[in-house]
Amino acid sequence: MRLAIVAVGTRMPGWVDEAFGDFAKRMPRECTLDLVEVKAEPRSGGKTAEQMMAAEAERIRAALPPRARLVILDERGEDLSTKSLAQRLERWLGAGDDVALVIGGPDGLDPTLKQAAHEKIRLSSLTLPHAMVRVLLAEALYRAWSVTKNHPYHRE
């Protein structure tokens, strides 16, 4: 199974790439973690937020792995504990489908993309910087995998 974090935005600070890469390297072959960056729509030119989100949604759709389960990160999504995410990861692994976890741009995600999602989750009730979300999600996925394997990374 392949986990793909599909994120709007391309020029992240070096520490983001380094931290994401560290967690991605730790994932096993049967559950790889990749980052797919999607260009954000320029915030100039007089376009409305809806128009920018629609343009980004088209780029996101084009970047999704074929037949992937679509999971979006949304402030109104389901709040998961580490154990709940581990159970979800086991379910995804059992189904054998690739999973695309989508992080929207500054204005969020287009409503049509939200409607198409199989699942909506959130990392926190806090508003988080998009660069930080990539790292936190990668760590959460690695931690969830470690729970499924009784690896000592996660401690109760």
Side-chain angles (χ1 to χ4, degrees):
M1 181 180 80
R2 175 181 172 217
L3 298 170
I5 295 178
V6 180
V8 175
T10 54
R11 290 181 299 209
M12 295 295 125
W15 64 266
V16 173
D17 296 331
E18 185 178 337
F20 180 89
D22 182 54
F23 289 112
K25 279 191 307 192
R26 296 180 189 196
M27 294 296 284
R29 274 185 236 155
E30 70 269 10
C31 187
T32 61
L33 178 61
D34 300 311
L35 176 64
V36 180
E37 293 181 318
V38 175
K39 182 179 174 284
E41 188 68 11
R43 288 333 197 232
S44 58
K47 291 182 182 174
T48 65
E50 290 76 18
Q51 290 170 320
M52 290 184 281
M53 288 187 296
E56 290 167 351
E58 288 306 311
R59 292 185 191 116
I60 290 167
R61 285 185 188 95
L64 293 173
R67 298 175 304 285
R69 180 167 195 78
L70 180 59
V71 179
I72 63 162
L73 274 73
D74 184 76
E75 62 190 2
R76 291 172 199 83
E78 185 179 354
D79 191 16
L80 299 175
S81 67
T82 296
K83 284 189 178 184
S84 296
L85 183 58
Q87 291 167 347
R88 188 85 40 113
L89 185 61
E90 282 186 316
R91 196 172 75 222
W92 295 337
L93 277 164
D97 296 328
D98 290 339
V99 177
L101 298 112
V102 178
I103 302 168
D107 296 300
L109 288 167
D110 186 73
T112 62
L113 202 55
K114 289 182 180 184
Q115 290 171 348
H118 297 101
E119 300 176 50
K120 297 177 181 94
I121 63 172
R122 68 177 174 172
L123 289 180
S124 172
S125 295
L126 299 171
T127 301
L128 300 169
H130 288 248
M132 186 83 64
V133 171
R134 295 174 185 206
V135 175
L136 292 174
L137 182 56
E139 192 280 339
L141 291 167
Y142 175 71
R143 183 176 295 275
W145 173 82
S146 75
V147 167
T148 69
K149 301 301 180 190
N150 295 314
H151 186 280
Y153 180 77
H154 178 73
R155 295 181 181 92
E156 291 293 323

